[in-house]
Amino acid sequence: MKTVMILTMPRSGSSLLAGILHRLGIRMGDSTDMEMGKHLNKHGCYEDQWFQSISLNILFESQLLLDITRRLNMDEKRIEKVVKKYEPEIKQFIQQNNQGLWGFKDPALIYHLPYYHSLFDNPYYIHLKRNTRDTAGSLFKTFRYSYWLPEMKEKFPLFKPGNRMRIILRSAKLLLTRQNEYNEHDIFERVIDKGHQRIREFIKDKPHLSLRVVRSDRITTPTSG
């Protein structure tokens, strides 16, 4: 058994990579799940929806989901506490998938994975990195209303009932009070660079492969560990 996990930042090409892995025979989730997210990628985002639900709720309750500036100075104790709450569901997810060669991806995985990575029997990590400025430019576009509304419609059912009203209220507050802060690419670049730093620190003593996107249609493999 081996679990392949893609570690990256949003808008870095993880859907392309997950699609390649899926076609190579690595089970990345149910075929219907793979097609979700076509508002962001016309071919689908190749994300296991069960794990997406776990991740989204952890991120939201850790206050890392909507206000990305919080990812620059995270409350690690809070993240650890929230992960502990969802640990039974994470264990169930692993137990039901832990056979043969399988994997999954989530562009925000690195923010909570360090607190439960030991639950996996034989994990292997792929660090996918795209140019920071290009990633920031692509991520910046997803904060437009035309992207945000379809995203909320699709992801809303994945939140726990107790979180649904809270996410509506927080989203409205953010749009009304903090929107101007997201008009500068600098914020996105700082979040992306810090995220990749967190990934590098996490995988340095673990089996991994580092990939770099040099163009939107090509991936290189510079290093492995």
Side-chain angles (χ1 to χ4, degrees), residues 2 7 11 22 29 42 46 49 69 102 130 144 149-150 152 173 176 179 186 188-189 194 206 217:
K2 176 178 284 189
L7 302 179
R11 312 303 297 168
H22 186 69
K42 66 180 181 179
Y46 285 82
Q49 296 301 291
T69 62
W102 70 288
R130 180 187 180 190
R144 295 176 181 173
L149 186 59
M152 285 299 295
K173 181 179 179 180
L176 291 172
Q179 188 63 33
D186 176 64
F188 295 94
E189 291 181 13
K194 190 171 181 66
K206 301 173 181 65
D217 60 345

Side-chain angles (χ1 to χ4, degrees), residues 147-197:
Y147 280 87
W148 181 82
L149 186 59
E151 178 78 354
M152 285 299 295
K153 285 183 177 180
E154 183 172 289
K155 300 299 186 186
F156 189 75
L158 300 180
F159 288 96
K160 302 296 183 184
N163 285 335
R164 292 176 185 174
M165 181 56 68
R166 294 166 61 205
I167 196 168
I168 291 174
L169 294 175
R170 283 194 200 174
S171 298
K173 181 179 179 180
L174 184 65
L175 288 171
L176 291 172
T177 63
R178 304 285 300 279
Q179 188 63 33
N180 290 337
E181 295 184 27
Y182 297 103
N183 289 330
E184 299 293 334
H185 282 205
D186 176 64
I187 290 178
F188 295 94
E189 291 181 13
R190 286 162 52 203
V191 169
I192 291 163
D193 283 339
K194 190 171 181 66
H196 282 296
Q197 179 184 352

